[in-house]
C-alpha cells in the first residue's frame, strides 16, 4: 500500500507574523519557515501506518520553489521514503494545488492520500476536499483516528455533536485534525539519511497542468490592537460604562 502526503512550507507557528508596509502581503524576509503543523500530523500518521505494516511506501510532495525541498527533507527525516517537488514560481491557490496533486496521484497511484486539513497561512481548508472531488475519491475530513483494514479505512472525525465514524473504500483522501497524533522529532541520524533519499523535481508542464489562479490577494491587514483595560471604583460605575460606553446592557 502506497500513501501520498502533501506538505506545505509556512511561517513557523512560533513566529509573530509581520505585514508588509504596503499591506500587499505577509513579510517573509528573514522569517523562520517550517512544515505546516497539520502536515506534520499527516506525515506522522502515514509513517505510523508504515511502521504497523499497513503501508509499504510513504511519498511526501510539496508545491513551490526550491526552498520547499527543506520541508520535503524534513518529511523524509520523519520516515517518508521519497519526495516530489512540484516547482512553481508563486504559491498556487487551493484549486490549482488540488489539480497539481491530482496529477501526482494519477501518476503514483497511491491507495491513500493523507493531508493536513488546512495550512496556517492561507487557512482555507479547501484543498483536500477539492482533491477528493477532482479524483472522485471518498473523503473523510478532520480525522482524529484512522484504521486501515481489509481494503477499507475507518476514520473517526470530530463534528459539532461529538464523534462520527466513517468507513471508506480505498483509494481515499483523508485530512487530519490536531488530535489525530503527536508528531515525533526527527533524530540526527535520520536527518542525515534523509539527504540521501530520492527527491524528484517536476513542473506543472511535466504533469500536464496549466496553472490559472482563481483567487487574488487584495490586501493583508494585521488584527486591530486591543485597548487597555480600566479599573472602576464601584459596581454602579461599571454598570454605567457597560450601558453607555460598551452598550452591552
Amino acid at each position: 500500500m502506497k500513501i501520498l502526503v502533501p506538505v506545505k512550507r509556512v511561517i513557523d507557528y512560533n513566529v509573530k507574523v509581520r505585514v508588509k508596509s504596503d499591506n500587499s502581503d505577509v513579510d517573509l524576509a528573514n522569517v523562520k519557515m517550517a512544515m505546516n503543523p497539520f502536515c506534520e500530523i499527516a506525515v506522522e500518521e502515514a509513517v505510523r501506518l508504515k511502521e504497523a505494516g499497513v503501508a509499504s511506501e510513504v511519498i511526501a510532495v510539496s508545491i513551490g520553489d526550491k526552498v520547499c525541498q527543506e520541508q520535503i527533507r524534513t518529511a523524509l527525516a520523519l520516515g517518508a521514503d521519497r519526495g516530489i517537488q512540484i516547482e512553481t514560481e508563486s504559491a498556487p491557490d487551493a484549486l490549482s494545488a488540488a489539480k497539481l496533486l491530482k496529477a501526482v496521484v494519477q501518476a503514483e497511484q497511491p491507495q491513500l492520500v493523507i493531508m493536513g486539513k488546512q495550512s496556517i497561512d492561507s487557512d482555507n481548508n479547501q484543498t483536500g476536499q477539492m482533491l477528493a472531488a477532482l479524483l472522485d475519491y471518498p473523503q473523510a475530513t478532520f480525522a482524529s483516528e484512522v484504521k486501515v483494514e481489509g481494503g477499507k479505512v475507518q476514520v473517526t472525525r470530530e463534528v459539532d455533536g461529538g464523534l462520527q465514524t466513517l468507513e471508506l473504500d480505498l483509494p481515499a483522501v483523508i485530512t487530519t485534525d490536531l488530535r489525530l497524533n503527536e508528531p515525533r522529532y526527527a533524530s540526527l541520524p535520520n536527518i542525515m539519511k534523509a539527504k540521501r533519499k530520492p527527491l524528484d523535481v517536476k513542473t506543472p508542464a511535466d504533469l500536464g497542468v496549466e496553472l490559472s489562479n482563481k483567487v487574488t490577494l487584495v490586501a493583508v491587514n494585521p488584527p486591530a490592537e486591543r485597548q487597555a483595560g480600566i479599573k472602576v471604583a464601584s459596581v454602579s460605575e461599571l454598570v454605567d460604562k457597560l450601558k453607555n460606553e460598551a452598550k452591552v446592557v
Side-chain angles (χ1 to χ4, degrees), residues 35-224:
M35 187 191 300
N36 180 52
F38 291 104
C39 297
E40 289 184 332
I41 294 170
V43 171
E44 175 66 24
E45 191 64 23
V47 171
R48 290 188 185 188
L49 289 172
K50 181 187 172 186
E51 291 173 343
V54 174
S56 58
E57 185 180 29
V58 176
I59 306 167
V61 57
S62 189
I63 303 170
D65 54 17
K66 189 175 181 179
V67 291
C68 76
Q69 291 188 11
E70 179 184 347
Q71 279 60 53
I72 298 175
R73 293 293 181 191
T74 300
L76 296 177
L78 292 172
D81 298 289
R82 57 188 175 96
I84 299 173
Q85 177 204 353
I86 306 173
E87 190 168 20
T88 60
E89 294 181 0
S90 58
D93 61 16
L95 180 58
S96 296
K99 289 179 177 178
L100 291 169
L101 293 174
K102 174 192 174 185
V104 174
V105 170
Q106 291 175 330
E108 295 290 341
Q109 293 295 308
Q111 285 70 51
L112 195 57
V113 178
I114 304 179
M115 57 195 300
K117 70 172 184 178
Q118 65 194 75
S119 59
I120 62 172
D121 51 2
S122 58
D123 225 27
N124 286 329
N125 183 17
Q126 294 177 335
T127 307
Q129 293 88 327
M130 288 179 173
L131 175 61
L134 291 173
L135 291 167
D136 196 22
Y137 281 7
Q139 62 174 303
T141 56
F142 318 135
S144 60
E145 186 178 0
V146 175
K147 294 180 181 178
V148 180
E149 293 179 354
K152 295 182 181 292
V153 56
Q154 282 193 351
V155 179
T156 301
R157 57 191 301 270
E158 299 182 1
V159 295
D160 291 341
L163 299 176
Q164 179 186 59
T165 301
L166 303 176
E167 185 174 80
L168 311 178
D169 293 324
L170 297 176
V173 176
I174 297 173
T175 69
T176 61
D177 211 340
L178 283 172
R179 279 162 286 281
L180 178 58
N181 59 51
E182 184 174 345
R184 70 192 70 188
Y185 291 98
S187 64
L188 182 58
N190 287 338
I191 292 173
M192 301 306 293
K193 290 177 183 177
K195 295 179 181 180
R196 298 190 295 272
K197 290 184 178 180
L199 195 163
D200 297 329
V201 179
K202 299 182 182 296
T203 65
D206 295 335
L207 299 171
V209 178
E210 184 177 347
L211 296 183
S212 177
N213 284 0
K214 306 297 183 183
V215 178
T216 301
L217 180 62
V218 177
V220 177
N221 294 287

Side-chain angles (χ1 to χ4, degrees), residues 230 237-248:
I230 60 172
E237 184 182 355
L238 172 61
V239 172
D240 178 68
K241 289 187 177 296
L242 290 175
K243 184 177 181 180
N244 300 314
E245 293 184 15
K247 299 187 183 300
V248 295

